[in-house]
Amino acid sequence: VANAPHMPVHLGSMDRSVETIIRLNRGKVRPGDVFALNAPYNGGTHLPDITVVTPVFDDAARRILFWVASRGHHADVGGTAPGSMTPLATTVDEEGVLFDNFHLVDRGRFHEAELRRLLTDHPWPARNPDQNVADLKAQIAANEKGVAELRKVVAQFGLETVEAYMGHVQDNAAESVRRVLERLPDEAAYEYPTDTGQVIRVKITVDRKARRAKVDFTGTSPVEKNNFNAPEPVTRAAVLYAFRVMVEGSIPMNAGCLRPIDIVVPEGCMLRPAYPAAVVAGNVETSQH
């Protein structure tokens, strides 16, 4: 519904992290639960980016009304080099520790021992687990602020009104992007040769009648033994950013922006790697391409 607009990869991909947490924990989420995720093949981007996700329950603590999330790039999450950004990695384990739907807080109990075990029980463990723990506590607190603000808004305007306007925000974003599509040519194709010798290919086709566009990355080079592979959420976030900056209105970054866009990213290409591919430069280099 709302996301800071200025950091394309971080913020245009966070909904994938939230979707993954919802999917993997359906029917098991309780008030006071918090989850953490950085898995690049399961809603994450690269390993230093840990997303912390918190449900917002109704007053009866029965129904989940909303989700809030915060993502922080951690100073180090292990791997073969300090900072978890080695250019030499060929597998993700060399880049650090994977958080794949980690239950960070269970009904109000912070899983500190389990968290420290995750950070240290690894061939190349995190170098400063105390800092990771403190930073994750800060992210939990940031989410709590989000929960409190949402409760305040619901108390002031009523749940029905808030839910309606959250729908309007996304509908408006979708319509804003459809208006952008009207200004674009029917078809365009481009290819970008990268320093690794891999090539990114994209073809954009606009269906004027349906007011939709297809962004097709078919023909892009396959995953290679380097870390320039960009996980699907990163690829999607870069597409979202490109369309968002063409919208001239002042709209919040939200999932409605991608509603009129169909993105095709073939399995096995460098823009949709699978475990154990290395990915750390996918965020910082490939996303820019």
Side-chain angles (χ1 to χ4, degrees):
V1 173
N3 219 335
H6 57 279
M7 200 82 157
V9 170
H10 262 218
L11 301 168
S13 58
M14 275 175 65
D15 59 343
R16 274 287 193 259
S17 299
V18 178
E19 282 171 4
T20 301
I21 294 297
I22 292 170
R23 187 181 77 250
L24 296 179
N25 298 288
R26 191 165 274 122
K28 299 180 289 187
V29 182
R30 302 285 175 266
D33 282 355
V34 182
F35 303 89
L37 179 110
N38 71 356
Y41 327 101
N42 203 13
T45 51
H46 64 187
L47 300 188
D49 292 346
I50 303 178
T51 306
V52 172
V53 182
T54 304
V56 185
F57 278 83
D58 63 8
D59 290 339
R62 287 204 191 97
R63 185 161 77 94
I64 299 171
L65 303 177
F66 314 108
W67 292 82
V68 295
S70 58
R71 176 177 289 172
H73 180 107
H74 287 242
D76 182 275
V77 287
T80 57
S84 313
M85 296 278 289
T86 174
L88 305 176
T90 58
T91 68
V92 75
D93 291 317
E94 294 171 312
E95 297 179 329
V97 174
L98 252 79
F99 285 68
D100 198 354
N101 186 33
F102 180 70
H103 204 166
L104 192 57
V105 182
D106 181 2
R107 285 174 278 190
R109 187 178 79 82
F110 182 54
H111 279 173
E112 184 161 348
E114 296 88 335
L115 173 59
R116 287 182 181 275
R117 194 156 52 243
L118 178 66
L119 290 164
T120 54
D121 185 15
H122 188 274
W124 298 282
R127 289 164 180 81
N128 189 350
D130 289 346
Q131 186 177 51
N132 296 117
V133 170
D135 286 341
L136 285 164
K137 284 180 176 178
Q139 287 184 250
I140 293 167
N143 283 8
E144 280 304 308
K145 179 66 172 168
V147 173
E149 291 298 320
L150 276 168
R151 289 195 192 287
K152 215 187 284 182
V153 171
V154 170
Q156 186 174 348
F157 297 105
L159 181 59
E160 204 175 308
T161 302
V162 172
E163 285 182 333
Y165 272 87
M166 287 187 168
H168 300 332
V169 163
Q170 294 194 350
D171 292 344
N172 179 57
E175 182 57 30
S176 299
V177 171
R178 286 191 190 101
R179 286 198 292 269
V180 166
L181 299 182
E182 289 165 3
R183 308 200 305 264
L184 299 182
D186 290 350
E187 199 172 278
Y190 188 72
E191 64 177 53
Y192 187 93
T194 69
D195 292 349
T196 60
Q198 290 158 291
V199 179
I200 298 167
R201 289 190 174 87
V202 64
K203 182 179 181 183
I204 300 161
T205 315
V206 176
D207 182 337
R208 300 209 175 280
K209 199 171 173 190
R211 301 178 80 212
R212 300 188 65 79
K214 182 178 178 183
V215 178
D216 188 349
F217 289 97
T218 300
T220 294
S221 295
V223 167
E224 285 189 14
K225 280 277 188 182
N226 60 41
N227 54 22
F228 285 81
N229 308 299
E232 185 269 352
V234 173
T235 304
R236 192 168 152 273
V239 172
L240 166 60
Y241 189 73
F243 281 99
R244 169 64 189 86
V245 295
M246 288 190 282
V247 173
E248 285 165 1
S250 177
I251 62 169
M253 177 72 97
N254 68 81
C257 295
L258 276 182
R259 215 182 279 162
I261 313 294
D262 300 307
I263 304 173
V264 178
V265 190
E267 296 283 345
C269 83
M270 66 182 288
L271 304 180
R272 197 186 194 116
Y275 182 85
V279 298
V280 78
N283 273 37
V284 291
E285 297 294 332
T286 308
S287 66
Q288 302 300 308
H289 304 328

